[in-house]
Amino acid sequence: MAAPADARKIIKKRMKKFPRFQADRFKRMNPAWRKPRGIDGRVRRKFKGSTIIPNIGYGSDKKTRHRLKNGFYKFLVRSPADVEMLLMHNEKYAVEIAHNIGAKKRKEIVERADQLRLHVTNRFSRLRAEENE
């Protein structure tokens, strides 16, 4: 396996999610963030002690954005031909096999990825034990 060429440390400014204001009070309310728009809303007016609003300052470093924990960028592969695109990029991208690929095609993709020294994130999914080879 190749190691990522750019080995800089990935620093996240915030790991916690931004919960929607008052979503903890009502079961019917989705906790996914929605911007408060009320005229008197204390969250929108940024009062001290109230829920914090996501803004551009919480963004990740541009050089490490969208990276996986192992330092690679994810590349979704839907066919064995897609692996060939990463011929010269084995130190930058990791292969992730799409969810709807069968076991036979998965095996082809993993074998070709090994030849190209590519890292496969979900290499052991849908893999049955080999019978006495």
Side-chain angles (χ1 to χ4, degrees):
M1 286 312 140
D6 187 12
R8 78 179 70 211
K9 193 164 166 50
I10 299 168
I11 297 167
K12 306 265 190 207
K13 289 184 191 164
R14 183 182 165 92
M15 293 292 287
K16 280 198 251 171
K17 295 252 190 252
F18 289 96
R20 184 176 179 178
F21 178 53
Q22 288 189 336
D24 56 329
R25 286 175 160 219
F26 307 104
K27 204 169 190 175
R28 64 181 177 264
M29 221 170 164
N30 185 1
W33 177 255
R34 296 288 182 275
K35 186 172 171 57
R37 292 193 169 83
I39 52 168
D40 293 329
R42 58 198 178 98
V43 173
R44 183 189 60 78
R45 291 159 69 188
K46 299 187 176 113
F47 282 9
K48 197 185 339 181
S50 63
T51 309
I52 53 171
I53 293 184
N55 54 44
I56 201 69
Y58 291 105
S60 296
D61 181 10
K62 204 182 280 186
K63 293 183 181 81
T64 60
R65 197 175 297 158
H66 307 299
R67 289 255 187 103
L68 299 172
K69 277 197 167 80
N70 58 14
F72 290 106
Y73 290 101
K74 191 193 301 184
F75 184 83
L76 194 65
V77 170
R78 295 185 178 88
S79 74
D82 288 351
V83 181
E84 302 302 323
M85 285 191 253
L86 300 177
L87 182 64
M88 301 295 289
H89 301 288
N90 63 349
E91 291 183 335
K92 189 169 186 174
Y93 292 97
V95 171
E96 180 161 303
I97 305 168
H99 77 99
N100 55 352
I101 306 297
K104 193 162 59 169
K105 279 273 197 289
R106 274 174 194 269
K107 194 174 175 191
E108 285 177 39
I109 291 169
V110 169
E111 283 170 6
R112 185 60 183 142
D114 287 342
Q115 290 169 3
L116 298 175
R117 296 183 62 232
L118 286 162
H119 183 269
V120 183
T121 56
N122 54 351
R123 74 179 308 124
F124 299 114
S125 53
R126 284 200 212 173
L127 197 66
R128 270 187 270 133
E130 307 285 320
E131 289 142 23
N132 301 332
E133 284 189 330

